[in-house]
mmCIF file of all heavy atoms in Angstrom:
data_model
loop_
_atom_site.group_PDB
_atom_site.id
_atom_site.type_symbol
_atom_site.label_atom_id
_atom_site.label_comp_id
_atom_site.label_asym_id
_atom_site.label_seq_id
_atom_site.Cartn_x
_atom_site.Cartn_y
_atom_site.Cartn_z
ATOM 1 N N ASP A 136 104.032 135.259 63.773
ATOM 2 C CA ASP A 136 103.019 136.233 64.194
ATOM 3 C C ASP A 136 103.374 136.974 65.479
ATOM 4 O O ASP A 136 103.198 138.188 65.571
ATOM 5 C CB ASP A 136 101.667 135.534 64.391
ATOM 6 C CG ASP A 136 101.085 135.041 63.083
ATOM 7 O OD1 ASP A 136 101.640 135.391 62.029
ATOM 8 O OD2 ASP A 136 100.083 134.309 63.112
ATOM 9 N N VAL A 137 103.849 136.241 66.473
ATOM 10 C CA VAL A 137 104.070 136.868 67.788
ATOM 11 C C VAL A 137 105.099 137.991 67.721
ATOM 12 O O VAL A 137 104.852 139.092 68.248
ATOM 13 C CB VAL A 137 104.448 135.804 68.842
ATOM 14 C CG1 VAL A 137 104.986 136.457 70.117
ATOM 15 C CG2 VAL A 137 103.224 134.946 69.177
ATOM 16 N N PRO A 138 106.275 137.794 67.102
ATOM 17 C CA PRO A 138 107.208 138.937 67.004
ATOM 18 C C PRO A 138 106.586 140.145 66.307
ATOM 19 O O PRO A 138 106.794 141.288 66.734
ATOM 20 C CB PRO A 138 108.377 138.364 66.200
ATOM 21 C CG PRO A 138 108.340 136.909 66.454
ATOM 22 C CD PRO A 138 106.882 136.572 66.549
ATOM 23 N N LEU A 139 105.815 139.908 65.240
ATOM 24 C CA LEU A 139 105.202 141.024 64.521
ATOM 25 C C LEU A 139 104.132 141.718 65.362
ATOM 26 O O LEU A 139 104.033 142.949 65.364
ATOM 27 C CB LEU A 139 104.587 140.525 63.207
ATOM 28 C CG LEU A 139 105.596 140.097 62.132
ATOM 29 C CD1 LEU A 139 104.871 139.486 60.946
ATOM 30 C CD2 LEU A 139 106.435 141.283 61.681
ATOM 31 N N LEU A 140 103.335 140.941 66.088
ATOM 32 C CA LEU A 140 102.322 141.536 66.962
ATOM 33 C C LEU A 140 102.966 142.390 68.048
ATOM 34 O O LEU A 140 102.474 143.474 68.395
ATOM 35 C CB LEU A 140 101.463 140.434 67.602
ATOM 36 C CG LEU A 140 100.531 139.679 66.656
ATOM 37 C CD1 LEU A 140 99.993 138.425 67.337
ATOM 38 C CD2 LEU A 140 99.381 140.568 66.199
ATOM 39 N N LEU A 141 104.080 141.907 68.592
ATOM 40 C CA LEU A 141 104.774 142.658 69.633
ATOM 41 C C LEU A 141 105.465 143.897 69.062
ATOM 42 O O LEU A 141 105.462 144.962 69.688
ATOM 43 C CB LEU A 141 105.786 141.750 70.331
ATOM 44 C CG LEU A 141 105.179 140.574 71.119
ATOM 45 C CD1 LEU A 141 106.266 139.611 71.559
ATOM 46 C CD2 LEU A 141 104.397 141.076 72.321
ATOM 47 N N LEU A 142 106.051 143.765 67.878
ATOM 48 C CA LEU A 142 106.689 144.924 67.242
ATOM 49 C C LEU A 142 105.653 145.981 66.880
ATOM 50 O O LEU A 142 105.945 147.184 66.937
ATOM 51 C CB LEU A 142 107.459 144.484 65.991
ATOM 52 C CG LEU A 142 108.724 143.656 66.239
ATOM 53 C CD1 LEU A 142 109.316 143.172 64.922
ATOM 54 C CD2 LEU A 142 109.756 144.450 67.034
ATOM 55 N N GLN A 143 104.443 145.547 66.509
ATOM 56 C CA GLN A 143 103.347 146.492 66.276
ATOM 57 C C GLN A 143 103.124 147.367 67.504
ATOM 58 O O GLN A 143 102.982 148.587 67.400
ATOM 59 C CB GLN A 143 102.053 145.738 65.981
ATOM 60 C CG GLN A 143 101.739 145.490 64.526
ATOM 61 C CD GLN A 143 100.364 144.872 64.371
ATOM 62 O OE1 GLN A 143 100.146 143.710 64.717
ATOM 63 N NE2 GLN A 143 99.432 145.639 63.854
ATOM 64 N N LEU A 144 103.080 146.711 68.657
ATOM 65 C CA LEU A 144 102.825 147.441 69.896
ATOM 66 C C LEU A 144 103.939 148.439 70.187
ATOM 67 O O LEU A 144 103.678 149.584 70.569
ATOM 68 C CB LEU A 144 102.669 146.465 71.059
ATOM 69 C CG LEU A 144 102.424 147.097 72.424
ATOM 70 C CD1 LEU A 144 101.089 147.839 72.449
ATOM 71 C CD2 LEU A 144 102.465 146.045 73.525
ATOM 72 N N VAL A 145 105.198 148.011 70.015
ATOM 73 C CA VAL A 145 106.329 148.904 70.269
ATOM 74 C C VAL A 145 106.268 150.103 69.329
ATOM 75 O O VAL A 145 106.508 151.245 69.724
ATOM 76 C CB VAL A 145 107.663 148.143 70.122
ATOM 77 C CG1 VAL A 145 108.833 149.109 70.252
ATOM 78 C CG2 VAL A 145 107.775 147.041 71.172
ATOM 79 N N LEU A 146 105.931 149.853 68.059
ATOM 80 C CA LEU A 146 105.820 150.941 67.081
ATOM 81 C C LEU A 146 104.753 151.949 67.486
ATOM 82 O O LEU A 146 104.991 153.158 67.508
ATOM 83 C CB LEU A 146 105.471 150.370 65.702
ATOM 84 C CG LEU A 146 106.591 149.881 64.797
ATOM 85 C CD1 LEU A 146 106.001 149.232 63.557
ATOM 86 C CD2 LEU A 146 107.514 151.025 64.417
ATOM 87 N N VAL A 147 103.570 151.434 67.796
ATOM 88 C CA VAL A 147 102.434 152.313 68.087
ATOM 89 C C VAL A 147 102.618 153.048 69.405
ATOM 90 O O VAL A 147 102.229 154.210 69.543
ATOM 91 C CB VAL A 147 101.118 151.506 68.093
ATOM 92 C CG1 VAL A 147 99.931 152.376 68.527
ATOM 93 C CG2 VAL A 147 100.855 150.917 66.715
ATOM 94 N N SER A 148 103.244 152.391 70.386
ATOM 95 C CA SER A 148 103.401 153.008 71.705
ATOM 96 C C SER A 148 104.355 154.203 71.664
ATOM 97 O O SER A 148 104.276 155.103 72.498
ATOM 98 C CB SER A 148 103.906 151.979 72.720
ATOM 99 O OG SER A 148 105.243 151.612 72.448
ATOM 100 N N GLY A 149 105.287 154.180 70.698
ATOM 101 C CA GLY A 149 106.232 155.285 70.595
ATOM 102 C C GLY A 149 107.315 155.272 71.650
ATOM 103 O O GLY A 149 108.042 156.252 71.821
ATOM 104 N N ILE A 150 107.478 154.163 72.342
ATOM 105 C CA ILE A 150 108.471 154.071 73.400
ATOM 106 C C ILE A 150 109.878 154.073 72.798
ATOM 107 O O ILE A 150 110.092 153.609 71.676
ATOM 108 C CB ILE A 150 108.240 152.791 74.247
ATOM 109 C CG1 ILE A 150 109.050 152.835 75.535
ATOM 110 C CG2 ILE A 150 108.566 151.544 73.438
ATOM 111 C CD1 ILE A 150 108.703 151.716 76.511
ATOM 112 N N ASP A 151 110.828 154.618 73.530
ATOM 113 C CA ASP A 151 112.235 154.583 73.125
ATOM 114 C C ASP A 151 112.706 153.134 73.233
ATOM 115 O O ASP A 151 112.731 152.565 74.322
ATOM 116 C CB ASP A 151 113.067 155.487 74.037
ATOM 117 C CG ASP A 151 114.542 155.496 73.660
ATOM 118 O OD1 ASP A 151 114.872 154.960 72.580
ATOM 119 O OD2 ASP A 151 115.350 156.023 74.441
ATOM 120 N N VAL A 152 113.060 152.523 72.112
ATOM 121 C CA VAL A 152 113.355 151.090 72.121
ATOM 122 C C VAL A 152 114.650 150.765 72.855
ATOM 123 O O VAL A 152 114.864 149.626 73.270
ATOM 124 C CB VAL A 152 113.418 150.531 70.678
ATOM 125 C CG1 VAL A 152 112.073 150.651 70.007
ATOM 126 C CG2 VAL A 152 114.501 151.212 69.856
#
Side-chain angles (χ1 to χ4, degrees):
D136 292 351
V137 167
L139 290 174
L140 291 167
L141 295 170
L142 290 175
Q143 267 186 289
L144 179 64
V145 174
L146 274 174
V147 174
S148 69
I150 193 171
D151 180 10
V152 296

